[in-house]
Structures are given as C-alpha cells and as structure tokens.
Amino acid sequence: MERIKVFVDTVLSAEDREAVRLNDADKKLFTWFAQNLDDAGKRAEYQRALDVDVDINELERVIRGK
C-alpha cells in the first residue's frame, strides 16, 4: 500500500491525484464497513483503503489512460 501512496503522490499529476482520491461518500461508507463488517479480513481491507485514500478502480483507469 505504501508503494501505491508514493506513486500517487509523486508520479501522478495534481489533476489525476485528485481524481483517484476517495470522495466523501466513499470515505463514510468505507469507515462504516471498516468498523462494522463481521469478517475481520474485509474490515482490514476497507481500513487499508481509507489509510491510503485512493480509489483503486479509478487509479487503474488513470494508469490505463481511460
């Protein structure tokens, strides 16, 4: 996850960085999942996403130039 964070912070343009950040609705939803899901593994996944503050699907689109 640290590699993703470094990539976003150093390689992407300011516009692309903004595009891949989690929006407020996603942050609220991910926070709820990180605190309330029964599966500890899934809770950890959502917490990691919050920690990195990157929408992985949007990052993929930016990298592929879509």
Side-chain angles (χ1 to χ4, degrees):
M1 287 296 188
E2 187 61 29
R3 288 181 183 174
I4 292 171
K5 195 169 190 174
V6 169
F7 177 82
V8 168
D9 292 341
T10 60
V11 176
L12 296 182
S13 68
E15 181 181 335
D16 286 341
R17 270 194 304 277
E18 188 61 32
V20 301
R21 296 288 182 212
L22 293 173
N23 63 41
D24 289 339
D26 285 339
K27 287 179 185 179
K28 288 178 184 178
L29 184 63
F30 284 21
T31 298
W32 188 91
F33 284 144
Q35 295 171 350
N36 296 296
L37 287 177
D38 290 333
D39 184 332
K42 291 289 184 187
R43 284 194 314 268
E45 286 180 33
Y46 282 102
Q47 187 58 54
R48 281 192 299 274
L50 285 166
D51 293 344
V52 175
D53 189 26
V54 170
D55 180 334
I56 299 298
N57 293 323
E58 188 62 30
L59 179 60
E60 180 184 13
R61 282 188 215 102
V62 167
I63 291 170
R64 292 178 186 234
K66 294 181 179 178

